[in-house]
């Protein structure tokens, strides 16, 4: 009788733990995705300004070079 009670408590505890883990993981993924959407444009602009090379198409951008017409 005691064995069944202990086993039931362990199963319930494990299921609550796994349910909390699954819910927390989903919430964390959603937060991470929204944070990534906010950071990516700034990161791409920073890389463009540092290197002068487009991070998407890897072409050289001429806006960082001094033009003789200025």
């Amino acid at each position: 009788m005691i064995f069944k009670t202990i086993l039931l408590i362990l199963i319930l505890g494990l299921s609550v733990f796994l349910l909390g883990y699954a819910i927390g993981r989903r919430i964390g993924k959603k937060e991470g995705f929204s944070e990534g959407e906010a950071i990516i444009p700034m990161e791409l602009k920073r890389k463009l300004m540092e290197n002068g090379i487009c991070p998407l198409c890897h072409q050289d951008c001429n806006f960082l070079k001094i033009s003789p017409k200025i």
Side-chain angles (χ1 to χ4, degrees), residues 2-15:
I2 291 177
F3 178 72
K4 288 183 180 182
T5 307
I6 292 173
L7 186 61
L8 180 63
I9 290 171
L10 287 175
I11 290 172
L12 287 175
L14 184 62
S15 63

Side-chain angles (χ1 to χ4, degrees), residues 13-64:
L14 184 62
S15 63
V16 167
F17 175 75
L18 290 176
L19 181 66
Y21 174 78
I23 291 171
R25 184 172 166 93
R26 285 185 183 210
I27 291 171
K29 280 188 173 186
K30 287 180 184 177
E31 287 179 4
F33 186 77
S34 63
E35 185 176 332
E37 283 182 327
I39 291 175
I40 289 293
M42 294 183 288
E43 195 65 26
L44 290 175
K45 288 177 187 176
R46 183 186 61 80
K47 286 182 182 181
L48 176 64
M49 293 297 175
E50 285 179 354
N51 301 332
I53 298 172
C54 178
L56 298 176
C57 62
H58 303 291
Q59 290 183 354
D60 188 25
C61 298
N62 294 327
F63 72 91
L64 292 177

